[in-house]
Amino acid sequence: QVQLQESGPGLVKPSGTLSLTCAVSGGSISSSRWWSWVRQSPERGLEWIGEILQSGSTSYNPSLKSRVSISLDKSKNQFSLKLTSVTAADTAVYYCARSASGPVDSWGQGTLVTVSS
Amino acid sequence: QPVLTQSSSASASLGSSVKLTCTLSSGHSTYIIAWHQQQPGKAPRYLMKLEGGGTYNKGSGIPDRFLGSSSGADRYLTISNLQFEDEADYYCETWDSNTRVFGGGTKLTVL
């Protein structure tokens, strides 16, 4: 069974760039279709950020599209998230997730990212 | 894009059953959804994929007490023989070719 593990800084300064990586184990990142990032805050609930297909094609939430980039590193079996120009509103628990055939069917444990000076 | 609407809270007694609802927005009534459970302090957990006709496929290890059903634009999650461990937030999710959407979640309290 595939397992996902997020990693990255827990504190980011305002106007900086949030960078997270999701390590995939128990399966090849090339064997599933979509690899997603979802965040959760009390204000917004669960919010889809975007996803990358195994082919490298990406889709992003329109509300975040100008600031988001998701990439895939098949050699390391991981994928990454970059969110630029962050503000306090980007403070949330960030989850990486997998979708093999439609819905998210595997979630990482989540990592809290706080935007503060 | 589709919008998913859920009641903010529900409650039921230990050992009883509860039916949670997720409603798809107009024009999206045929969409497939998924249900996720989030226990306090934990990551969400995938429960099942549920089609408009009521067919559902559960994730690995999900107890038989969790059932899915559908009627029109409504998608239901029924939990029978409620246990204290079922006290959690329940989210529905749907998707199409270039977007993914979550409902606001229902907080289930087991009395």
Side-chain angles (χ1 to χ4, degrees):
Chain A
Q1 184 166 340
V2 71
Q3 293 187 321
L4 308 170
Q5 179 67 61
E6 306 87 351
S7 62
L11 181 64
V12 181
K13 293 187 186 307
S15 77
T17 296
L18 181 158
S19 296
L20 296 174
T21 296
C22 181
V24 178
S25 59
S28 170
I29 203 166
S30 298
S31 66
S32 294
R33 294 203 62 190
W34 297 284
W35 300 95
S36 302
W37 287 97
V38 178
R39 66 182 183 180
Q40 185 174 32
S41 63
E43 298 78 21
R44 292 195 175 88
L46 286 172
E47 180 181 29
W48 174 72
I49 299 171
E51 59 195 26
I52 187 165
L53 274 65
Q54 57 182 119
S55 64
S57 177
T58 54
S59 296
Y60 299 127
N61 186 322
S63 68
L64 299 169
K65 189 174 183 177
S66 63
R67 300 193 291 129
V68 173
S69 174
I70 298 175
S71 59
L72 205 60
D73 188 336
K74 293 182 180 181
S75 67
K76 295 183 178 178
N77 220 39
Q78 65 185 32
F79 62 107
S80 299
L81 167 71
K82 287 191 187 302
L83 181 65
T84 62
S85 303
V86 297
T87 69
D90 295 309
T91 293
V93 176
Y94 286 74
Y95 295 100
C96 59
R98 183 200 75 168
S99 306
S101 61
V104 166
D105 56 22
S106 294
W107 295 82
Q109 67 180 34
T111 187
L112 174 63
V113 178
T114 301
V115 178
S116 175
S117 55
Chain B
Q1 74 179 33
V3 174
L4 300 171
T5 302
Q6 299 181 252
S7 299
S8 58
S9 65
S11 62
S13 299
L14 182 71
S16 71
S17 296
V18 69
K19 191 174 187 178
L20 307 181
T21 304
C22 173
T23 301
L24 287 150
S25 53
S26 177
H28 303 95
S29 63
T30 62
Y31 274 46
I32 300 170
I33 72 147
W35 284 103
H36 303 273
Q37 175 196 62
Q38 187 175 32
Q39 294 172 321
K42 293 189 175 182
R45 173 194 184 193
Y46 169 68
L47 294 177
M48 67 177 68
K49 181 167 75 171
L50 173 60
E51 298 180 12
T55 301
Y56 62 96
N57 291 288
K58 291 194 291 188
S60 175
I62 305 303
D64 293 342
R65 304 185 293 105
F66 290 80
L67 305 172
S69 60
S70 298
S71 178
D74 291 331
R75 305 287 181 267
Y76 305 107
L77 174 67
T78 299
I79 311 171
S80 59
N81 188 22
L82 273 169
Q83 305 296 306
F84 284 127
E85 68 210 43
D86 300 328
E87 187 161 287
D89 294 326
Y90 291 85
Y91 295 92
C92 53
E93 171 207 4
T94 195
W95 61 93
D96 65 17
S97 58
N98 56 10
T99 194
R100 193 173 296 278
V101 175
F102 293 91
T106 296
K107 184 177 186 61
L108 175 62
T109 300
V110 179
L111 305 171

